[in-house]
Every structure is written in structure tokens, then in C-alpha cells.
Amino acid sequence: MTKIFLITLLLIGLNSFSQNTTEFEPGVEIIQSDKIYEYESPKSILFVFEGHTHMINNFLDLKKHIRKAFKKKMKSDFKSFLLDFNYNLTAEKSMKEDMEKIPSKKYRKEKYETICYISVTDIKGWDEHLIEKRKQNYILNADLKDKDLNELLQLKLKVNSYYTITTENKNSSRLIYQTIMENK
């Protein structure tokens, strides 16, 4: 009787404390997308990247992909669409190389119908020793506001990437374009 009890207890313990292995899948998924009821696609957008200065390489790459996504989807309408980017990046101890990469040109917010604030939060990384198979996970936040800073749209993307944080920027920019410009 004692042996059966111990075996049962052992099996329950193994089942309770065993770790579930979940596969790491690279990609981008929308975890939150809230639009106001009267939302209409804007005629001009100023993207403002916010965060740490060390994120400049990611934001420059994201800017390139956002511009491509808008140009590809809008085709001839892109010429009349006003799309620009500001960088509001700060850090107590910034690297000189990072500071040199931050574009100095600033666009005035008053010229744009909407302003989209982009930031990265909850950055996690592991398997750094594997170089090419290094994994990152983060949340990409996009908050679209009108000139009066009224919230129009809030988007949160969960991004899983291998190697560097920039490898999923193409997919992120595609979802940003779809959410902002396609009224679904």
C-alpha cells in the first residue's frame, strides 16, 4: 500500500513540476489594436520614435521599412502623402556612435494631421552565446494621436526575432501600415 502511495505521489509530483517546452516562433503578432469609432485614415503622419539612444539602429531600420510599406501600398498616392520621422531618444550615458546616428532634422508636429509615437518595451533576450540563433522578444507600441493629442489608435505588437531585434521590422511595418491606413 505504501509503495502504491509513493509511486502515485511521485507521478503527481513529476507531472506538477515538469516544465512545458514551448517552441520559439519568430514573427509579429497583434496583441492589442484599439481604434476610436470615428477613425479615418490620416492624410499625413509624423512618426516619433521614443526610448533609449541605443535603440537607434532598430528605429532607423524600422523607419526604412515603414517608408517602404507606405510607398508600396499607396503607389501613386504616396507622392502627396506627408510622412516624416522624428527621434526623441535619450539616455544618461549614451554611446558616441549611437548619438552620431540620430538624425538631427526635426519636423514640426503642427504640419501633420496625426502623430504616431513608437516605442519598444519589455525587451527580453536569451541564448546570446549562440550568435545567429540568439532570441529576442519585445513589445512594439504605436500610439496614433491627432494634433490635439487625442488618442485615435493604440497598437501593441508582440515581436519574436532571431539574431537581432531588427529581423522582424519588415513584418512590424506591414502591420503598422495595415492598422493605420486600412479601415478594418
Side-chain angles (χ1 to χ4, degrees):
M1 185 68 160
T2 313
K3 288 182 183 179
I4 294 173
F5 177 71
L6 288 174
I7 291 173
T8 306
L9 188 61
L10 179 67
L11 291 175
I12 291 172
L14 286 174
N15 190 33
S16 298
F17 296 111
S18 66
Q19 295 181 358
N20 294 335
T21 57
T22 56
E23 285 289 320
F24 181 85
E25 290 292 326
V28 181
E29 105 182 66
I30 296 174
I31 56 174
Q32 180 183 350
S33 177
D34 299 321
K35 290 182 184 178
I36 63 168
Y37 181 73
E38 312 84 31
Y39 183 80
E40 292 183 19
S41 300
K43 306 279 186 278
S44 62
I45 302 174
L46 174 64
F47 283 92
V48 178
F49 295 109
E50 299 181 315
H52 196 282
T53 55
H54 198 57
M55 294 295 294
I56 186 60
N57 291 325
N58 180 49
F59 288 142
L60 289 172
D61 186 66
L62 185 59
K63 169 198 170 189
K64 177 181 77 172
H65 287 291
I66 288 172
R67 185 175 294 283
K68 278 184 182 179
F70 274 77
K71 191 173 185 176
K72 181 179 178 181
K73 298 284 186 173
M74 295 180 78
K75 299 187 183 353
S76 63
D77 292 336
F78 182 73
K79 291 177 184 174
S80 63
F81 190 80
L82 189 57
L83 177 69
D84 286 311
F85 302 86
N86 278 350
Y87 298 85
N88 185 17
L89 306 175
T90 58
E92 285 184 26
K93 295 180 180 179
S94 300
M95 294 176 63
K96 183 181 177 185
E97 297 83 22
D98 292 340
M99 294 303 291
E100 290 171 351
K101 292 178 185 176
I102 298 174
S104 59
K105 186 169 185 175
K106 298 284 184 191
Y107 297 95
R108 295 180 51 208
K109 294 178 182 179
E110 303 82 42
K111 290 175 44 181
Y112 303 87
E113 183 181 339
T114 57
I115 301 139
C116 186
Y117 296 93
I118 304 266
S119 62
V120 173
T121 56
D122 300 332
I123 301 172
K124 296 176 196 99
W126 56 98
D127 293 337
E128 268 81 31
H129 63 283
L130 297 177
I131 309 292
E132 302 253 341
K133 289 295 182 178
R134 175 179 39 209
K135 300 172 188 169
Q136 294 86 32
N137 171 269
Y138 60 94
I139 304 296
L140 183 67
N141 306 293
D143 295 319
L144 188 68
K145 299 181 179 189
D146 64 12
K147 288 182 182 183
D148 300 323
L149 298 179
N150 296 317
E151 190 87 26
L152 300 174
L153 178 143
Q154 190 174 45
L155 176 67
K156 289 184 186 273
L157 303 175
K158 179 182 172 190
V159 182
N160 291 334
S161 65
Y162 278 119
Y163 190 53
T164 72
I165 197 170
T166 62
T167 56
E168 292 296 325
N169 278 348
K170 184 176 182 180
N171 293 329
S172 298
S173 62
R174 182 179 46 81
L175 287 174
I176 289 169
Y177 173 83
Q178 287 175 352
T179 307
I180 292 174
M181 299 305 290
E182 297 174 3
N183 289 325
K184 292 182 182 178

